[in-house]
Amino acid sequence: MSYYPVLLDVRGREVLVIGGGPVAARKVGGLLAAGAVVRLVAPELCAAAVELARGPGVGYHARGFEASDLDGVVLVFCASGDSAVNARAAELARSRGIFVNVVDAPEAGDMIVPAHFRRGELLVAVATGGASPALSRRLRQRLEVEFGPEWGPLLRLLAAARRAVLAGGGDGADHRRVFYELVDSRLAEFLRAGDWAGVDGLLREALGLGLADLGLGPDDLQPRPEDGRP
């Protein structure tokens, strides 16, 4: 099956998750991280799902799936562990034009979630079109090692540099040259090592501006929880 890759803005939008097990809990956690409002439907919840249901952004309904659960949602994730329930929910969702993912039978839905990880605003995703989820996970694990937590601060630094370059005028060709010079530099290496003098020197060489000129200091460029773990 061939899928069209896309990133969705689900901030403030309702998403239905059917199921209360560990897989459903992971879906809920990822959706909350993306700013979605989650409608969680399941007779029972695992411990992880209970914690999420107690927090903001989740409306929990302690019962089985009902057709009315589809009202007003933009996406559906079927993770009930009951293939008949998942199939019925998927069929109803698709009949309404709502995109649906069936975790244990991707072919029954019309979207899949790739293996992915985040480093702040950097999102790295790997998909095999449903052919081998195991391969997707292995590739993701390899990439997680290559792209460590320093890539979150790197992206924040590059965003600040981009704003400064664009504010300074000039033409597109000059901008691209500077952007690629920074991307291809040793900034990630210096950030990983906490070498702030090295970071400042690279910026001054490429931009004529240092960290302070960009309004940044070492505290601003420390890895955050959303940047992942080493």
Side-chain angles (χ1 to χ4, degrees):
M1 182 177 290
S2 180
Y3 289 91
Y4 184 79
V6 64
L7 298 176
L8 299 176
D9 181 358
V10 293
R11 292 172 297 177
R13 309 188 76 175
E14 287 200 69
V15 178
L16 173 63
V17 177
I18 304 168
V23 174
R26 289 196 295 272
K27 300 298 184 188
V28 172
L31 289 165
L32 291 175
V37 177
V38 179
R39 185 179 303 172
L40 179 61
V41 176
E44 298 179 347
L45 300 178
C46 69
V50 167
E51 289 301 312
L52 291 168
R54 289 173 177 167
V58 179
Y60 172 51
H61 304 273
R63 53 168 173 76
F65 167 74
E66 298 176 359
S68 60
D69 292 326
L70 296 170
D71 295 344
V73 303
V74 296
L75 296 174
V76 177
F77 290 87
C78 300
S80 72
D82 185 321
S83 58
V85 171
N86 289 346
R88 175 171 173 263
E91 183 179 0
L92 288 172
R94 296 182 76 177
S95 71
R96 295 194 187 192
I98 304 171
F99 281 97
V100 58
N101 169 253
V102 183
V103 297
D104 59 351
E107 68 280 358
D110 42 25
M111 70 173 187
I112 59 175
V113 178
H116 65 279
F117 63 93
R118 295 179 183 272
R119 296 291 184 250
E121 291 300 315
L122 176 64
L123 172 63
V124 180
V126 180
T128 58
S132 177
L135 177 59
S136 295
R137 285 192 292 271
R138 282 289 183 259
L139 291 174
R140 184 209 70 204
Q141 290 165 353
R142 293 181 190 179
L143 290 169
E144 281 183 304
V145 175
E146 181 174 348
F147 296 92
E150 70 276 4
W151 283 76
L154 173 63
L155 194 54
R156 293 194 287 275
L157 176 57
L158 292 174
R162 183 174 184 273
R163 289 192 294 269
V165 169
L166 294 179
D171 61 35
D174 287 337
H175 294 166
R176 286 190 294 275
R177 178 188 56 77
V178 172
F179 296 152
Y180 281 112
E181 182 177 344
L182 289 173
V183 168
D184 294 333
S185 73
R186 299 173 65 192
L187 276 177
E189 175 187 338
F190 289 157
L191 286 168
R192 186 186 310 116
D195 183 351
W196 308 115
V199 171
D200 197 74
L202 280 176
L203 291 173
R204 292 188 181 280
E205 182 178 342
L207 306 177
L209 301 172
L211 280 171
D213 301 305
L214 298 179
L216 297 173
D219 289 345
D220 301 304
L221 298 174
Q222 297 296 330
R224 300 172 180 172
E226 62 268 27
D227 297 328
R229 299 185 299 274

